[in-house]
Amino acid sequence: MSYKILDHTADAKFRATGETKEEALSEAVKAVAEIVGSDPEAGTVRRQIEVESENTESLIFDFLGELIFLQDLEDVAVCQTEKLELKEEIDGPHRIKATVWTQPITPGMNLLDIKAPTYNEMLVDYENEWIIEAVLDI
Amino acid sequence: MDLEKVSENIYKIPKQGEMKVPAKVYASEEILEEMKEDSALEQVKNMAKLPGIEKHAIMMPDGHQGYGFPIGGVAAFDNKTGIISPGGIGFDINCGIRVLKTNLTSAEIKGKEEQLANILSQKIPHGLGKGGYINTNKEDIKQILEKGVEWMHENNHATKNDIECCEENGKLPGKPGKVPEKAIKRGVNQVGSLGSGNHFLEIQRVTDVFNKEKAEAYGLEEDQIIVMIHSGSRGLGHQVCTHYLREFEEEYPEIFESLEEKNLMYAPLGDQLAEDYREAMYAAANYAWANRQGLTEAVRDCFHRIFDETELELLYDVCHNIAKEEKHDVDGEEKELLVHRKGATRAMPAGRPEVPEVYKDVGQPVLIPGSMGTHSHILSGGQKSLDLSFGSTAHGAGRLKSRTQAKQDYWGEDVQKELEREGIIIKANSGSTIAEEAPGVYKDIDQVIEVSDKLGIGQKVARMKPIINIKG
């Protein structure tokens, strides 16, 4: 499992991988942390996130949106997940329940404010491991 | 791709396949070659396939790949039978530019640049989680969503001239009730904040006046110091866009599935959801104008710490991510259209009702920022813009290189020192932020402006060079 920031002309794209979708999603959170400029290995404040969507792509879109919302609302920067549960039902709802480590934003910190998730170039694939790619509008 | 040269700086992709109208690309030969390097030309063709599109799909000379619509894309839809597309407006609803004129010359601020830069950098919230310059609560936000700059005026954050010289007088018919609760929550703490990315605040010097009569009408002269602000509707606007994209997707699964490019998602005008989004989008636009007004107050306060008597008067404020109801001539018939401008600036010529009274004889000021360290421009709306581009022109230089490529090619500190040698002070969160926005990662702004000027859609009035840049 790992993550990588990929090339994108105007915005920020990442690739997150893992043996399970859960692992790949956890790596996606670290990728977001790196894009923001916070520490993907740190965090002092725990927050709970729950999202429910109609399919995998929309679930990723909503999950990323929720991370961005959390940052704006609570003046924190996302770091990593402690626990991430994924439930996907065929023809039913798809859910993520995650405990996310964040760090409070202090005056000296210089962090990037991500605007929004996008569907642009979004990829969810399995090739020896789960691969998630997404572009964030910055 | 079939791309025909119509005349100098005008290229056409003829109507083919599912395209409902032809696509037009306004570019010089050199710019066109750059456009071929990403999928922007493919995206302008996709725009031409949307239901209810009128006359032509357009890409401006600063056009490059975006989400759904290219950045620099303009499309007009019949206001009753057409569509509305959040992806045709952008996540940052009413991202835009405002320019404040000072009564100072470059000689008068000489020696005080560093001090001014430090005060601005300290006082103006930029980046993630720094709050806003104006204190607001949830009720205030609801009022702002309805009234825009008018609320700022009522609460002593704006002058009467600030209202009169703002596009739409800083207020569109937005409905706070249509703005999702989450968006309102994000908006509470951000009135008067720059944000990140390519947003900035610049102190600039007018280096060239190209049209004396119009410059005079705009109150501009050589060597004058002006302030340029680039920001939008912040988290609130982004949340509105995200929310309605998902609502559209759930309401119209068959449309969503049929689209190759999911960010082209749209709703048919007249449907309740389309109208809800339109009213929420207008409300977010009002928030953006209030945000830039909040930044204006911050700039005025900062200047007054050093220059007691300085006046900072609003020249104009214009958005470049929006959809608006306007009347245009289509095949000899006046039609009510919903004009989507995504990374394109309204550029109305003299005589149009949209031009503020004070500029009615010379045309609407068009404010176009360059990349960090290069020229920015002030144009006036050109007569040809009505026929060629539904009263629009470019909005900036347009990116050429990715942020990752930029960080490989440039070292932030080197760029900063190089610009300092040219007399430009940069205040940014980090070296990598500077590298990402280095002048070399953008198209040549002067070339973009030449195309606009030669086509007569937005005509050169004055050009500025930065002295201080506060990066978002």
Side-chain angles (χ1 to χ4, degrees), chain A residues 46-101:
Chain A
R46 262 189 308 195
R47 285 286 174 265
Q48 197 78 25
I49 286 184
E50 284 187 51
V51 282
E52 183 181 312
S53 314
E54 60 277 22
N55 56 50
T56 307
E57 281 78 11
S58 56
L59 185 70
I60 292 168
F61 183 95
D62 290 343
F63 181 55
L64 294 170
E66 206 59 30
L67 294 172
I68 296 164
F69 176 66
L70 176 72
Q71 296 197 131
D72 253 8
L73 192 69
E74 302 211 12
D75 270 351
V76 293
V78 161
C79 296
Q80 59 177 327
T81 51
E82 179 183 281
K83 198 170 139 197
L84 189 144
E85 289 171 30
L86 171 72
K87 274 189 188 156
E88 293 189 286
E89 290 174 31
I90 300 164
D91 296 327
H94 295 232
R95 291 194 189 98
I96 291 176
K97 198 173 163 186
T99 308
V100 180
W101 279 108

Side-chain angles (χ1 to χ4, degrees), chain B residues 209-220 361-363 461:
Chain B
V209 166
F210 301 113
N211 184 319
K212 223 170 165 195
E213 183 205 336
K214 290 188 179 185
E216 207 169 297
Y218 292 164
L220 294 170
D361 296 333
V362 284
V461 175

Side-chain angles (χ1 to χ4, degrees), chain B residues 263-275:
Chain B
N263 292 289
L264 274 175
M265 189 59 201
Y266 60 84
L269 288 172
D271 282 15
Q272 188 57 47
L273 193 53
E275 297 313 314

Side-chain angles (χ1 to χ4, degrees), chain B residues 347-358:
Chain B
M348 292 296 184
R352 281 285 297 205
E354 293 89 349
V355 181
E357 180 65 21
V358 54

Side-chain angles (χ1 to χ4, degrees), chain B residues 310 430 465:
Chain B
T310 309
S430 65
K465 189 100 182 172

Side-chain angles (χ1 to χ4, degrees), chain B residues 103-140:
Chain B
N103 50 356
L104 298 167
T105 62
S106 65
E108 285 169 304
I109 71 158
K110 196 145 187 70
K112 294 176 181 160
E113 298 95 329
E114 193 66 46
Q115 190 190 359
L116 183 60
N118 285 335
I119 295 174
L120 288 166
S121 169
Q122 241 175 44
K123 290 283 168 199
I124 287 167
H126 53 290
L128 176 67
K130 302 287 170 63
Y133 194 75
I134 310 290
N135 282 326
T136 48
N137 59 32
K138 221 164 141 183
E139 272 318 298
D140 297 333

Side-chain angles (χ1 to χ4, degrees), chain A residues 7 10-11 62 66 113 119, chain B residues 67 182 246 249 402-404:
Chain A
D7 223 30
D11 287 308
D62 290 343
E66 206 59 30
D113 194 359
Y119 277 117
Chain B
Y67 307 123
K182 272 179 144 179
R246 297 283 288 116
E249 184 187 333
S402 72
R403 289 170 201 273
T404 28

